[in-house]
Amino acid sequence: MAKFDLNDDGVVVIVGSGAGGGTLGNELAQKGVNVVILEAGPRTEIQDFVNNEWESFTQLAWTDMRTTSGSWRVAKDFANLPAWIVKSVGGSTVHWAGASLRFDEHEFRTKSTYGNLPGANLLDWPVTLSEMQPWYVKAEDKMGVTRTNNIPGLPGNNNFKVMEAGARKLGYKEVHTGRMAINSEPRDGRGSCQQIGFCFQGCKSGAKWSTLYTEIPKGEATGNLEVRPGCMALKIEHDANGKVTAVIYADEVGKTQRQKARIVAVAGNSIESPRLLLNSASNMYSDGLANSSGQVGRNYMRHMTGSVYAAFEKSVHMYRGTTMAGIIRDEARHDPSRGFLGGYEMETLSLGLPFMAAFLNPGAWGRPFTSAMEQYPRMAGMWLVGEDMPQETNRITLDPTAKDKFGIPVASVHYDDHPNDVAMRNHAYRQGAAVYEAIGATVTYPTTPYPSTHNMGTNRMSAKPRDGVVNKFGQSHDIKNLFVSDGSQFTSGAACNPTLTIVALAIRQADHIAGAMQRKDI
Amino acid sequence: MREVDRRSQYSRRIFLQGAATAVPVVAAVGAVAIEDAWAADATALAPATLKTMVKVARDIYPHDFLVDSYYITAVRPWDGKAAADPAVKAMLEDGVRRLDQDAKDRHKLNYVQVPWEADRVALLQGIEQTSFFKTLRGDLVVSLYNQEALWPKFGYEGSSAEHGGYIKRGFNDIDWLPKV
Ligand SMILES: Cc1cc2nc3c(=O)[nH]c(=O)nc-3n(C[C@H](O)[C@H](O)[C@H](O)COP(=O)(O)OP(=O)(O)OC[C@H]3O[C@@H](n4cnc5c(N)ncnc54)[C@H](O)[C@@H]3O)c2cc1C
Ligand code: SF4
């Protein structure tokens, strides 16, 4: 395993080891580039994972202070937990469910397709689907996505079978066990899914792709990648020419260190990445790094989400088996006749009893609540995930008072639903309930969005520097050796889950960075 | 299908066994005596305060198939927290006092003596915005439902990796769906 000197100014420093950072780190290491990944969280390995929701949450989730505002219900119910994401090596790919879908063509061109929508800060991506196709192919192969590369789909569990029966009855056509980055058969040195049912708590069989036990060890094996767990980046420094030169971080024992760098790539997920850029403000860059457009932190997207649970007369046991291997795609199309722009997916979802109690209807109590809880063994569940509109005012800022243990201002997350998001959610609630009612559900529970698992858009890509933070390669418009490598690059969110696109972009970015380094452009 | 909670089939014997493995002390003996013994062990809070809190806990999350021991387990740690922090102690004692006062004003009884749940719930609605109620409920939603011993009663099986997952234990054993 490599070990680089703090004064080695030839390394690429990546902040964060999740979907974006972990992938970029391995890809660069494979190309012979020296990489240091700074990861705020500890290195928690497969054998450490626990099949217990709260215990696992304590072990893996990002619970450092954050604040919230806005009309979203999360700000009231979970004022200091706007997002449910991971602080551990592997980032949120330790928690994630594995749903891996490509954007549709129009989802890279929302401004052209949707036109001017009041309140929405729409913009076309500077890349198109056809440009992305080869990178999607590489990402699907890397992650072993089912229903691609001749990999069979996963078998359907009880929760899927209920959803499928209802969907067919309703006339939905595109219904299957999903495109999942979970092995349905042994592949890439990892075994196949054992239907453990704790995908969100870290997959104990390793069947689910996570950078923790794929990209990162592969990168380390090249001798070109060093991962430093427990190392929280606090500030990015630059020289008199404006180029970034080093990352200041607090190490495992809380001591401040300075790692010099030839290139810095920020991949701390869409709340921490803009926070780091804003906290790196200097005399030269008084509004924060890469922020001449004023767009750093803005256009925060979290997807239109919600869940529908339904109770039946007989048992379902939805928690048995893969959490999210089931999808209805018929509503993912863009069809304004439904009363909203963009589309949404319906994906199977189950929570264990402890999380069901916490998230079914936060704050609720009394008989209506306990009667719902008592339906637990007879419940089926789905998650609704669709495109939310980017809005300039949905935004990550630095909290004016709250600071973390290093004395650095924490991120404050503001979110209001756009009327389009509300219209879409109402439609999705109706359709989700209809799926279950079609096969005899006795009750349905339209469930409020959870703290954000999909966080996107706060350092968005744009063709023109004035419209966004980074160019089509995730390279900041203002500083050519500063990159953004996570979901915060997203110009718009699309209907589908984001990670496949984050990984595809990271593979593409690695190609770009390695080329630029070789040509001595950077 | 492989069922988890088999009360409907074997009801009484299994039910008692289940409760006995879950919370050995309480299940076997008369509930009232045990409750008293438990509350008398308290160091910071008066036994009556704790007993009221247990009643409040059941009224917040009423599950008629759960014996008191689960609610006691959920509420008991408050005694330790009250011992460690006078502000917590005051918050709990004031909360219970206020609730009892409201009960006396309306029913001339202490909270625990008000016979109908609906009447007690009306009293709780009156204090829903107090930090006493909010703190108790916010804690309870974890301290009650996170007890592994009660999961089987809700048909939930908990940790599964050590049993090889559900691949051979019914992940797809649903047998009642209509043919479409
Ligand atoms: C429960 C759950 C289920 C999900 N299911 C799916 C799914 O089925 N499909 C899908 O596509 N997506 C899913 N997601 C979302 C997916 O996990 C994220 O989109 C993806 O991991 C984001 O990648 P990222 O690189 O932006 O950030 P992350 O993967 O979150 O990685 C960011 C890392 O950076 C670290 N970090 C942050 N700040 C600093 C700092 N200052 N210094 C050092 N390190 C720092 C963090 O600790 C973290 O490890 C799910 C997420 C959750 C939580
Ligand atoms: S269901 Fe499959 S993917 Fe999910 S945790 Fe289990 S083995 Fe891993």
Side-chain angles (χ1 to χ4, degrees):
Chain A
M1 243 183 264
K3 180 118 188 62
F4 296 105
D5 194 273
L6 288 170
N7 288 315
D8 186 339
D9 58 6
V11 298
V12 174
V13 176
I14 301 174
V15 177
S17 61
T23 304
L24 177 67
N26 178 33
E27 288 288 316
L28 287 174
Q30 299 296 335
K31 296 175 197 296
V33 176
N34 291 342
V35 179
V36 172
I37 294 184
L38 302 175
E39 168 52 57
R43 192 149 181 162
T44 315
E45 300 283 2
I46 289 181
Q47 64 270 19
D48 307 321
F49 296 155
V50 280
N51 279 186
N52 176 304
E53 290 177 313
W54 283 118
E55 210 182 309
S56 172
F57 181 86
T58 310
Q59 180 183 50
L60 298 170
W62 184 288
T63 51
D64 296 2
M65 177 65 145
R66 283 170 177 153
T67 58
T68 49
S69 60
S71 61
W72 58 329
R73 193 173 148 183
V74 168
K76 174 174 144 281
D77 296 330
F78 302 100
N80 298 118
L81 190 74
W84 173 18
I85 43 183
V86 173
K87 182 180 178 182
S88 195
V89 173
S92 304
T93 67
V94 178
H95 261 355
W96 83 313
S100 302
L101 302 162
R102 297 185 187 188
F103 277 36
D104 273 350
E105 199 264 338
H106 80 269
E107 289 173 324
F108 286 105
R109 298 185 303 107
T110 53
K111 176 85 174 174
S112 310
T113 314
Y114 303 160
N116 279 325
L117 181 65
N121 192 21
L122 290 167
L123 186 71
D124 289 352
W125 288 59
V127 284
T128 61
L129 178 63
S130 63
E131 262 177 282
M132 284 305 293
Q133 294 290 20
W135 306 101
Y136 272 138
V137 169
K138 285 184 205 286
E140 286 164 347
D141 179 48
K142 176 192 280 296
M143 300 161 82
V145 177
T146 59
R147 293 191 163 78
T148 73
N149 296 286
N150 296 317
I151 303 170
L154 286 158
N157 67 354
N158 291 338
N159 199 24
F160 170 70
K161 288 179 165 185
V162 174
M163 186 174 90
E164 183 191 34
R168 299 267 179 236
K169 194 84 183 275
L170 221 59
Y172 281 139
K173 296 282 180 285
E174 207 179 330
V175 186
H176 54 70
T177 59
R179 290 173 173 245
M180 304 296 294
I182 295 178
N183 280 350
S184 56
E185 51 191 31
R187 190 173 192 272
D188 197 26
R190 294 178 289 117
S192 61
C193 175
Q194 302 300 303
Q195 302 288 336
I196 295 171
F198 283 86
C199 307
F200 287 172
Q201 282 67 39
C203 175
K204 282 199 81 75
S205 84
K208 181 186 82 176
W209 179 85
S210 169
T211 55
L212 172 65
Y213 41 81
T214 59
E215 305 310 302
I216 287 167
K218 284 182 189 179
E220 287 173 330
T222 64
N224 300 322
L225 169 64
E226 180 189 352
V227 178
R228 294 185 198 154
C231 292
M232 171 86 186
L234 306 175
K235 188 179 170 78
I236 301 169
E237 291 187 332
H238 63 81
D239 63 16
N241 300 320
K243 275 177 57 179
V244 296
T245 51
V247 178
I248 306 292
Y249 68 95
D251 71 11
E252 271 182 300
V253 295
K255 200 162 164 257
T256 305
Q257 306 284 2
R258 170 185 284 104
Q259 173 64 55
K260 289 194 175 165
R262 178 165 166 191
I263 290 173
V264 175
V266 181
N269 206 325
S270 301
I271 298 177
E272 291 307 308
S273 288
R275 175 188 176 210
L276 179 59
L277 296 179
L278 294 172
N279 271 327
S280 300
S282 64
N283 285 337
M284 187 181 237
Y285 300 116
S286 57
D287 294 329
L289 297 190
N291 199 16
S292 65
S293 63
Q295 294 291 314
V296 169
R298 292 186 186 272
N299 315 302
Y300 170 63
M301 294 173 284
R302 61 177 311 260
H303 272 144
M304 177 298 295
T305 69
S307 311
V308 176
Y309 295 95
F312 293 86
E313 187 190 350
K314 296 195 180 140
S315 295
V316 176
H317 300 131
M318 63 175 171
Y319 57 86
R320 289 184 190 164
T322 328
T323 307
M324 203 169 263
I327 193 165
I328 305 171
R329 300 214 64 189
D330 297 62
E331 301 286 0
R333 70 194 192 280
H334 170 55
D335 171 9
S337 74
R338 291 172 300 179
F340 54 89
L341 304 170
Y344 63 90
E345 318 273 357
M346 302 153 113
E347 301 174 348
T348 57
L349 176 70
S350 66
L351 298 178
L353 191 81
F355 272 17
M356 188 57 84
F359 294 117
L360 178 64
N361 189 4
W365 57 280
R367 292 270 165 192
F369 178 78
T370 51
S371 138
M373 287 301 293
E374 289 177 10
Q375 302 315 309
Y376 184 78
R378 291 168 294 282
M379 268 187 202
M382 67 166 74
W383 197 48
L384 308 164
V385 51
E387 179 163 18
D388 60 338
M389 290 298 122
Q391 301 180 68
E392 271 202 308
T393 48
N394 283 347
R395 153 174 210 209
I396 312 302
T397 52
L398 300 178
D399 192 280
T401 50
K403 296 200 166 50
D404 68 10
K405 65 178 174 190
F406 307 111
I408 309 283
V410 306
S412 183
V413 183
H414 180 94
Y415 191 89
D416 301 308
D417 278 323
H418 188 279
N420 196 75
D421 309 342
V422 176
M424 185 191 288
R425 182 176 297 115
N426 288 337
H427 189 274
Y429 276 151
R430 277 199 302 278
Q431 292 308 112
V435 164
Y436 292 129
E437 281 160 2
I439 48 156
T442 56
V443 203
T444 56
Y445 307 102
T447 299
T448 188
Y450 312 125
S452 316
T453 53
H454 297 175
N455 298 274
M456 301 163 293
T458 51
N459 294 303
R460 73 175 184 182
M461 278 191 181
S462 63
K464 297 191 189 106
R466 66 157 194 267
D467 294 329
V469 180
V470 297
N471 70 13
K472 64 195 275 186
F473 295 108
Q475 184 173 25
S476 77
H477 288 302
D478 299 350
I479 304 171
K480 80 176 183 184
N481 66 340
L482 175 63
F483 287 76
V484 174
S485 316
D486 59 14
S488 67
Q489 299 171 81
F490 281 27
T491 312
S492 58
C496 65
N497 318 54
T499 306
L500 180 73
T501 302
I502 296 175
V503 172
L505 288 171
I507 302 172
R508 180 165 168 274
Q509 184 179 68
D511 206 55
H512 175 78
I513 290 178
M517 288 175 87
Q518 214 157 34
R519 293 189 304 272
K520 303 261 187 304
D521 287 350
I522 309 180
Chain B
M1 294 185 73
R2 186 172 62 78
E3 295 294 338
V4 181
D5 180 10
R6 295 179 167 279
R7 261 174 303 164
S8 52
Q9 283 161 43
Y10 303 93
S11 71
R12 200 178 137 74
R13 203 169 63 86
I14 301 283
F15 175 64
L16 286 178
Q17 266 177 10
T21 41
V23 187
V25 193
V26 178
V29 201
V32 177
I34 289 299
E35 253 182 76
D36 286 349
W38 154 74
D41 280 350
T43 58
L45 295 170
T49 305
L50 277 164
K51 278 197 255 174
T52 305
M53 287 168 65
V54 168
K55 193 72 168 173
V56 169
R58 181 181 283 284
D59 290 336
I60 291 177
Y61 294 126
H63 291 291
D64 300 343
F65 56 69
L66 294 183
V67 294
D68 271 354
S69 59
Y70 298 102
Y71 294 98
I72 293 173
T73 301
V75 164
R76 189 193 337 232
W78 280 113
D79 183 53
K81 290 182 219 167
D85 184 348
V88 170
K89 183 166 186 268
M91 188 262 297
L92 297 173
E93 285 175 342
D94 293 349
V96 168
R97 203 175 299 127
R98 151 103 192 259
L99 198 55
D100 274 337
Q101 192 55 54
D102 291 356
K104 278 182 202 132
D105 292 348
R106 251 192 253 182
H107 304 285
K108 306 201 166 25
L109 293 167
N110 278 330
Y111 181 84
V112 291
Q113 291 157 337
V114 176
W116 279 96
E117 178 187 304
D119 292 327
R120 294 192 305 274
V121 165
L123 293 169
L124 290 180
Q125 280 161 347
I127 62 158
E128 219 179 332
Q129 296 312 321
T130 63
S131 70
F132 169 71
F133 182 89
K134 285 195 198 164
T135 313
L136 209 61
R137 192 213 59 77
D139 178 77
L140 195 58
V141 77
V142 178
S143 61
L144 181 66
Y145 294 106
N146 205 30
Q147 292 177 44
E148 290 189 31
L150 64 68
W151 293 346
K153 296 180 181 300
F154 287 84
Y156 179 56
E157 296 172 81
S159 183
S160 104
E162 69 274 31
H163 307 297
Y166 289 103
I167 196 158
K168 296 198 181 92
R169 294 190 309 135
F171 80 100
N172 62 354
D173 66 355
I174 196 162
D175 55 10
W176 53 263
L177 284 170
K179 295 267 170 297
V180 190

